[in-house]
């Protein structure tokens, strides 16, 4: 049995499948769910050679079912979004044990005849999260009430979702009205709703974001999950659609200081934060002339605490903006600029 993005139908709790992920970043879907919804997770299941660990107990498929897990979530995000043939045996075994399977990759479970047949035989559901389940409008650029903040990055996979979730949490802690708006598979699996933006036909991407962030109370903040990077040759289009469709009032610049090259592009280095600021702001102001950059979010997990403090302080001195690591520091200082 096959289900589209009806995420309210995805049964809890999850067993997170890390497969043979070659590094920690490849397991970002599982990591995000583990970090933000640990109460929804029974554990993690890996294959030989897996180099990722999201900090959950390692348990078998059988043990997961015994502990109550109902859905096996493919927790890997790889280049091209393909289902590794090595995973097939595990996915079939999971269905035979009664698991539903949730998948956020571009390659759809429903396109695999073997998996569909086994799912039907055992009465299990295949959830392809990265499958739009509605027709989105073409963007019209009309102004709408409410406020929106968007994260933009020097690269892809650089902390834009974590920044948005941390900022929503901080805004709510301050008593502000705020809603995280998911635009990718991990955010959708965390919150149960959103738009799988990179699976939307290009002409409708900006319109999908207008639909996702509708008119709201004047003091309500939609915290929009960023995607891609204007500077990443592979994924720049999705960032532009977000900049125009969200009509952001505020932008947060996102960066990872130790990364040597663009994710998946070994011959291209990351731009500076100043270059990012100067590129994104004019584009954002096409849809919202009042847009401003309000802060910087930095993934400092490869730096010591002293190195991180020094690096963030340098940014603040050079750019005149609050700079935080949302995992180490939270996003309170960013939220303070908005309310």
């Amino acid at each position: 049995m096959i289900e589209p993005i009806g995420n309210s139908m995805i049964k809890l709790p999850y067993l997170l499948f890390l497969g043979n992920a070659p590094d920690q970043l490849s397991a970002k879907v599982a990591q995000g769910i583990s970090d933000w919804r640990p109460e929804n997770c029974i554990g993690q299941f890996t294959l030989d050679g897996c180099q990722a660990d999201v900090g959950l107990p390692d348990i078998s498929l059988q043990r997961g079912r015994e502990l109550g897990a109902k859905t096996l979530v493919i927790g890997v995000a790889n280049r091209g979004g393909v289902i590794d043939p090595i995973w097939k045996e595990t996915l079939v075994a999971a269905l035979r044990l009664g698991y539903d399977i949730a998948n956020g990759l571009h390659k759809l479970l429903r396109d695999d005849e073997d998996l569909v047949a086994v799912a039907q035989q055992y009465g299990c559901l295949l959830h392809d999260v990265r499958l739009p389940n509605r027709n989105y409008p073409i963007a019209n650029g009309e102004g709408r009430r409410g406020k929106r903040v968007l994260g933009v990055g020097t690269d892809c996979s650089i902390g834009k979702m974590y920044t948005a979730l941390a900022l929503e949490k901080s805004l709510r802690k301050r008593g502000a009205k705020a809603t995280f708006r998911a635009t990718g598979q991990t955010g959708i699996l965390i919150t149960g709703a959103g738009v799988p933006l990179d699976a939307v036909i290009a002409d409708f991407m900006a319109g999908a974001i207008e639909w996702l962030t509708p008119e709201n109370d004047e003091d309500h903040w939609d915290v929009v999950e960023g995607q891609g990077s204007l500077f990443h040759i592979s994924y720049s289009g999705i960032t532009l659609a977000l900049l125009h469709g969200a009509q952001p009032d505020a932008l947060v610049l996102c960066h990872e200081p130790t990364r040597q090259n663009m994710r998946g592009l070994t011959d291209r280095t990351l731009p500076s934060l100043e270059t990012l600021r100067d590129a994104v702001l004019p584009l954002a102001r096409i849809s919202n002339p009042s847009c401003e950059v309000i802060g910087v979010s930095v993934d400092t997990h490869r730096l010591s605490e002293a190195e991180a403090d020094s690096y963030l302080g340098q940014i603040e001195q050079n750019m005149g903006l609050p700079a935080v690591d949302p995992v180490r520091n939270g996003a309170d200082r960013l939220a303070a600029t908005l309310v």
Side-chain angles (χ1 to χ4, degrees), residues 110-187:
R110 64 173 56 204
D111 291 339
D112 188 305
E113 294 180 0
D114 295 335
L115 292 178
V116 171
V118 177
Q120 290 175 340
Q121 180 182 355
Y122 289 88
C124 302
L125 298 177
L126 302 177
H127 297 276
D128 284 311
V129 174
R130 223 174 195 150
L131 183 67
N133 67 340
R134 65 177 64 246
N135 294 322
Y136 297 110
I138 289 181
N140 58 35
E142 294 177 2
R144 54 197 188 274
R145 289 186 307 126
K147 296 181 181 297
R148 288 158 294 279
V149 54
L150 170 69
V152 289
T154 54
D155 193 8
C156 61
S157 303
I158 208 158
K160 297 181 291 294
M161 184 192 73
Y162 273 66
T163 300
L165 285 163
L167 183 53
E168 180 206 36
K169 181 179 179 180
S170 290
L171 285 167
R172 289 187 172 186
K173 187 169 68 174
R174 298 175 72 90
K177 303 171 187 175
T179 305
F180 171 74
R181 302 295 189 182
T183 62
Q185 73 274 24
T186 309

Side-chain angles (χ1 to χ4, degrees), residues 36-192:
W36 292 98
R37 293 294 185 273
E39 67 277 11
N40 291 347
C41 305
I42 292 291
Q44 64 184 23
F45 178 68
T46 65
L47 299 179
D48 290 343
C50 181
Q51 299 299 310
D53 183 341
V54 299
L56 295 173
D58 288 292
I59 59 177
S60 67
L61 292 176
Q62 180 66 49
R63 182 58 178 157
R65 287 294 286 160
E66 292 170 358
L67 292 172
K70 292 183 171 59
T71 301
L72 183 73
V73 175
I74 297 176
V76 181
N78 53 34
R79 186 169 173 80
V82 298
I83 296 175
D84 192 320
I86 295 174
W87 304 346
K88 186 76 167 284
E89 183 179 346
T90 296
L91 300 181
V92 170
L95 292 168
R96 287 176 174 160
L97 285 170
Y99 283 93
D100 293 343
I101 300 178
N103 166 46
L105 297 167
H106 284 297
K107 179 65 175 177
L108 304 180
L109 297 171
R110 64 173 56 204
D111 291 339
D112 188 305
E113 294 180 0
D114 295 335
L115 292 178
V116 171
V118 177
Q120 290 175 340
Q121 180 182 355
Y122 289 88
C124 302
L125 298 177
L126 302 177
H127 297 276
D128 284 311
V129 174
R130 223 174 195 150
L131 183 67
N133 67 340
R134 65 177 64 246
N135 294 322
Y136 297 110
I138 289 181
N140 58 35
E142 294 177 2
R144 54 197 188 274
R145 289 186 307 126
K147 296 181 181 297
R148 288 158 294 279
V149 54
L150 170 69
V152 289
T154 54
D155 193 8
C156 61
S157 303
I158 208 158
K160 297 181 291 294
M161 184 192 73
Y162 273 66
T163 300
L165 285 163
L167 183 53
E168 180 206 36
K169 181 179 179 180
S170 290
L171 285 167
R172 289 187 172 186
K173 187 169 68 174
R174 298 175 72 90
K177 303 171 187 175
T179 305
F180 171 74
R181 302 295 189 182
T183 62
Q185 73 274 24
T186 309
I188 291 170
L189 284 165
I190 288 171
T191 63

